[in-house]
Amino acid sequence: MRTIEELVNLVNEWAKEKGIHEKGNFFTQIMKTYEEVGEIIESLDKNDKEALSDGIGDSVVTLINASWFLGDDKFKLFIVKKDEAINFVKTNYGESALKVNVKSIIKDLMSELSLIFTEYVNVKNPNFEEIEGSIIRTLSNLEVLCYNYKLDFTECLNGAYEIISKRSGKIIDGTFVKDE
């Protein structure tokens, strides 16, 4: 299986080829993240583990794309910070501390995405450190969701990449829209 770093590079290559880096922007990618988190919520409601894995992977893809607009290699730093946060919890509170109520994970995901959205859109001079912190916390919540459903974070991203790498489509209003 590919490493997270290899997958990030592949997603960035894909985004460049599809025109996301040229015609997209941070905002359009965060809005796609909202959409993907909606799919996560729907998969949880239907108790569909395969769709959950796909939704997590797709959410990570959109966060990779959004992070590119903050700096070419920012996402790799965000993954390191996410891993540090998860390891801190395991080391200091035990792995069982990652077993949490799924509703609280969803609430935290939506809260972080809302913070990113309001900070980026509604503030004249956005605090990018706050936005970056929210991306890291979003990734951490996705990792905790994986833990609670016995999914592997990297495998979720790998599965999503396998699907998107075969997609054709075009950029409409800064967003990649797949062909049906």
Side-chain angles (χ1 to χ4, degrees), residues 61-115:
V61 167
T62 61
L63 288 168
I64 291 169
N65 292 341
S67 298
W68 183 86
F69 292 99
L70 301 176
D72 194 10
D73 276 338
K74 282 281 188 175
F75 191 81
K76 292 174 185 172
L77 172 65
F78 298 160
I79 287 294
V80 168
K81 296 289 187 182
K82 183 260 309 170
D83 290 344
E84 288 173 355
I86 296 296
N87 289 333
F88 177 85
V89 170
K90 287 180 181 178
T91 300
N92 291 289
Y93 303 103
E95 192 168 319
S96 62
L98 296 176
K99 290 188 180 208
V100 296
N101 181 306
V102 174
K103 288 181 182 178
S104 69
I105 297 170
I106 297 304
K107 180 182 172 191
D108 289 348
L109 278 170
M110 295 309 292
S111 176
E112 294 301 338
L113 289 174
S114 292
L115 193 150

Side-chain angles (χ1 to χ4, degrees), residues 24-140:
N25 59 56
F26 180 82
F27 175 76
T28 59
Q29 294 309 301
I30 289 300
M31 293 309 294
K32 286 296 288 182
T33 305
Y34 264 106
E35 182 181 320
E36 298 303 341
V37 169
E39 291 182 19
I40 289 172
I41 294 167
E42 184 177 339
S43 71
L44 291 169
D45 186 51
K46 293 179 178 178
N47 200 26
D48 185 341
K49 192 172 176 179
E50 187 176 323
L52 175 61
S53 177
D54 184 56
I56 291 169
D58 287 345
S59 295
V60 176
V61 167
T62 61
L63 288 168
I64 291 169
N65 292 341
S67 298
W68 183 86
F69 292 99
L70 301 176
D72 194 10
D73 276 338
K74 282 281 188 175
F75 191 81
K76 292 174 185 172
L77 172 65
F78 298 160
I79 287 294
V80 168
K81 296 289 187 182
K82 183 260 309 170
D83 290 344
E84 288 173 355
I86 296 296
N87 289 333
F88 177 85
V89 170
K90 287 180 181 178
T91 300
N92 291 289
Y93 303 103
E95 192 168 319
S96 62
L98 296 176
K99 290 188 180 208
V100 296
N101 181 306
V102 174
K103 288 181 182 178
S104 69
I105 297 170
I106 297 304
K107 180 182 172 191
D108 289 348
L109 278 170
M110 295 309 292
S111 176
E112 294 301 338
L113 289 174
S114 292
L115 193 150
I116 292 167
F117 178 77
T118 55
E119 185 67 33
Y120 186 77
V121 172
N122 294 329
V123 177
K124 194 172 203 170
N125 295 307
N127 180 339
F128 285 100
E129 286 182 19
E130 186 66 37
I131 290 170
E132 291 173 4
S134 284
I135 291 172
I136 294 163
R137 289 186 294 275
T138 298
L139 291 167
S140 297

